[in-house]
Amino acid sequence: EDKVVQSPLSLVVHEGDTVTLNCSYEVTNFRSLLWYKQEKKAPTFLFMLTSSGIEKKSGRLSSILDKKELFSILNITATQTGDSAVYLCAVRNNAGNMLTFGGGTRLMVKP
Amino acid sequence: DAGVIQSPRHEVTEMGQEVTLRCKPISGHNSLFWYRQTMMRGLELLIYFNNNVPIDDSGMPEDRFSAKMPNASFSTLKIQPSEPRDSAVYFCASSESLDIQYFGAGTRLSVL
């Protein structure tokens, strides 16, 4: 059974801080890892990672995958209050079309 | 595109009643997923369809839950009879590629 563990469970920082969120996984026949941001409503897609060592970047957010050590990190630099959300990590294997989600990291950015 | 559309946004019902949740996927997407989210268990996949055919329903908790996808633009998730432990947010998601799923705004269900 595929498994995704995220850490920390929750995090409180101040605006301007840099944060690193962690995602470790166990999956048979890994295909991809995805990051989502969930505010009050639906999870919204951030990144999809398939290859080790290649950084994906979007503004102040970036993510990288290590397929040898089976983890990914999501970095947010110069955090803003609008970054407050639950960040979800999910993995997909080659066997099907399903995503297995981690429990999420709840980030709160204080002014 | 309007994105994945779910209705209703909120549903409050009494134990024993039938509940039907609805989803319209993004046009052109061939896969549709139903998830349930609770504080205790996080985001759990209930069932997914590919080209309107149910592929994996192993996440459906019990026979009280059923899902249909009569055509490419509509799906329903039905709970009959509903129980208080079914209270959760139910999300529908759709995808075109096999990886990126796009989520609807969810239906918050409260069973009293």
Side-chain angles (χ1 to χ4, degrees), chain A residues 31-32 34 36 38 40-43 45 48 88 92 96-99 101-102 106, chain B residues 9 31 33 35 37 43 45 48 50 56 91 95 98-105:
Chain A
R31 176 183 173 94
S32 58
L34 289 80
Y36 285 83
Q38 185 176 22
K40 292 185 179 179
K41 300 179 183 177
F45 172 75
M48 182 175 73
L88 296 165
R92 179 174 176 265
N97 202 7
M98 300 178 292
L99 293 177
F101 280 85
R106 183 175 296 275
Chain B
R9 291 296 308 279
S31 294
F33 308 81
Y35 289 89
Q37 188 175 42
L43 199 59
L45 178 68
Y48 90 89
N50 195 46
D56 191 318
F91 287 105
S95 71
L98 295 181
D99 292 296
I100 304 173
Q101 296 178 17
Y102 296 91
F103 285 74

Side-chain angles (χ1 to χ4, degrees), chain B residues 41-98:
Chain B
R41 299 176 67 88
L43 199 59
E44 302 175 284
L45 178 68
L46 300 176
I47 185 171
Y48 90 89
F49 296 83
N50 195 46
N51 294 321
N52 311 338
V53 176
I55 302 300
D56 191 318
D57 65 354
S58 58
M60 296 285 262
E62 47 198 275
D63 292 345
R64 298 184 297 106
F65 285 69
S66 62
K68 292 182 180 179
M69 191 165 185
N71 57 62
S73 59
F74 184 66
S75 177
T76 59
L77 178 68
K78 186 177 292 186
I79 309 172
Q80 166 63 19
S82 58
E83 296 183 2
R85 60 192 168 121
D86 301 330
S87 298
V89 180
Y90 291 81
F91 287 105
C92 175
S94 71
S95 71
E96 178 184 15
S97 70
L98 295 181

Side-chain angles (χ1 to χ4, degrees), chain A residues 9-101:
Chain A
L9 208 59
S10 65
L11 194 54
V12 180
V13 301
H14 288 94
E15 272 192 320
D17 289 350
T18 293
V19 297
T20 298
L21 310 183
N22 304 293
C23 174
S24 63
Y25 61 89
E26 296 174 19
V27 62
T28 305
N29 296 321
F30 174 89
R31 176 183 173 94
S32 58
L33 183 145
L34 289 80
W35 284 96
Y36 285 83
K37 177 183 180 182
Q38 185 176 22
E39 297 173 85
K40 292 185 179 179
K41 300 179 183 177
T44 53
F45 172 75
L46 294 175
F47 298 113
M48 182 175 73
L49 303 152
T50 57
S51 302
S52 281
I54 299 174
E55 185 183 53
K56 292 283 183 89
K57 196 169 172 64
S58 176
R60 296 175 294 101
L61 277 66
S62 64
S63 183
I64 198 160
L65 174 68
D66 186 327
K67 290 167 71 174
K68 183 179 176 184
E69 299 298 329
L70 308 182
F71 77 91
S72 174
I73 59 172
L74 176 68
N75 280 321
I76 309 175
T77 59
T79 52
Q80 302 171 357
T81 55
D83 295 326
S84 297
V86 174
Y87 290 84
L88 296 165
C89 173
V91 295
R92 179 174 176 265
N93 61 38
N94 276 316
N97 202 7
M98 300 178 292
L99 293 177
T100 300
F101 280 85

